[in-house]
Amino acid sequence: MRSLVQDLERKDLRRLIDKVQVPVAAVVIMACNRADYLERTINSVLKYQRPISSRYPVFVSQDGSNSDVKSKALSYDELSYMQHLDFESVKTERPGELIAYYKIASHYKWALDQLFYKHNFSRVIILEDDMEIAPDFFDYFEAMATLLDKDKSIMAVSSWNDNGQKQFVHDPYELYRSDFFPGLGWMLARSTWDELSPKWPKAYWDDWLRLKENHKGRQFIRPEVCRTYNFGEHGSSLGQFFKQYLEPIKLNEVQVDWKSMELSYLFEDKYATHFANNIKKAKPVSGSDIIQKAQSIDGDVRIKYKDQWDFENIAQKFGIFQEWKDGVPRTAYKGVVVFRYQTTRRIFLVGPESLKLLQIEDF
């Protein structure tokens, strides 16, 4: 009898601990007027969130008053609903701009203010209403929360790789630091929001975060293989890049045990050396026929580019993103863009200052 009572007391205590457990992060799904997309996103999130719901409370934040979206969100008991109603007319700063980008920025600021300041969460994971998540999505962010807390040179953690298309990725365990904000499923700490909220932009919030004056030399963690998949062909970006860049993205299917992974190499004081060692092992390739030369090498390959124009030419040949923002190519760390090519082979596109920044002798 005594053992039965003790067992029941243990179970009650465990339930109590679960109830008062401090959440790792709130999860907010940003929505507007796509009820069908929202349903797909919610179902994907809840599939993996239900067993750990106390650690990741889910919110849907709707911008505007679309009744289908509101009723869809309210049909789920497992999440909380927030609604942002802003009836002020939007004045764009340049002719021909889409009002949607102004409304999105305003909604983001409102929702994050609510979650950090009204609900008092210490971290928030931001998703959009056109995303599905990987099986290890929550384990990944739980492991990354420790890094985010300890290393103040990390501005945010993302689940996205811009060059995460099937043909450019291989290793679900590989993580990188990047000078380029990836977005598309990312986690932010309250201390960083305290800094960003007062100066949040009127529009194009993601490109604003990519400006050096705002990230101030801090970096972002990103995986090689994406932990989110963006299925939103129809939206504010009007399907821009969808067929070429978003549709072929590989969503991770491996249940990585992030808690048992050694991740200290990602700390600022260790990462540059770790990354530099990988580049040192790569074989230098140059000339006009770099694709053929790269294909003929079994191991990793290093290709130097002279400037942005040169980078764009090389990137176009391989089929990766050519875009730069404020002097930084997408996914780059110290000017280096890395991706897999056809096999497990890594291609390192190395900028004119990269070797110096990484303290590698030019050889």
Side-chain angles (χ1 to χ4, degrees), residues 29 51 113 116 160 165 194-195 202 255 259 301 308 348:
I29 302 168
D113 279 346
F116 281 121
W160 183 260
Q165 296 77 18
D194 287 343
E195 171 197 337
K202 291 179 181 174
Q255 185 64 60
K259 291 185 187 72
V301 171
Q308 183 172 346
F348 294 92

Side-chain angles (χ1 to χ4, degrees), residues 239-292:
Q240 181 185 21
F241 303 136
F242 183 80
K243 289 290 179 193
Q244 186 177 355
Y245 294 113
L246 298 181
E247 196 171 48
I249 286 285
K250 178 175 174 58
L251 179 64
N252 176 56
E253 297 168 348
V254 179
Q255 185 64 60
V256 175
D257 181 10
W258 288 107
K259 291 185 187 72
S260 67
M261 293 284 290
E262 171 51 58
L263 299 171
S264 63
Y265 71 92
L266 289 165
F267 283 115
E268 184 181 32
D269 59 342
K270 294 183 180 178
Y271 188 75
T273 305
H274 163 83
F275 193 70
N277 287 338
N278 287 328
I279 294 173
K280 284 176 190 173
K281 293 172 196 165
K283 186 166 183 182
V285 163
S286 59
S288 57
D289 52 349
I290 51 171
I291 300 279
Q292 290 78 6

Side-chain angles (χ1 to χ4, degrees), residues 118-144:
K118 182 182 174 185
H119 295 284
N120 210 29
F121 289 107
S122 58
R123 303 178 206 93
V124 176
I125 298 169
I126 301 106
L127 291 168
E128 292 163 23
D129 64 353
D130 53 4
M131 293 179 179
E132 290 179 326
I133 67 170
D136 64 342
F137 177 89
F138 291 110
D139 288 344
Y140 167 72
F141 276 112
E142 185 157 0
M144 294 304 107

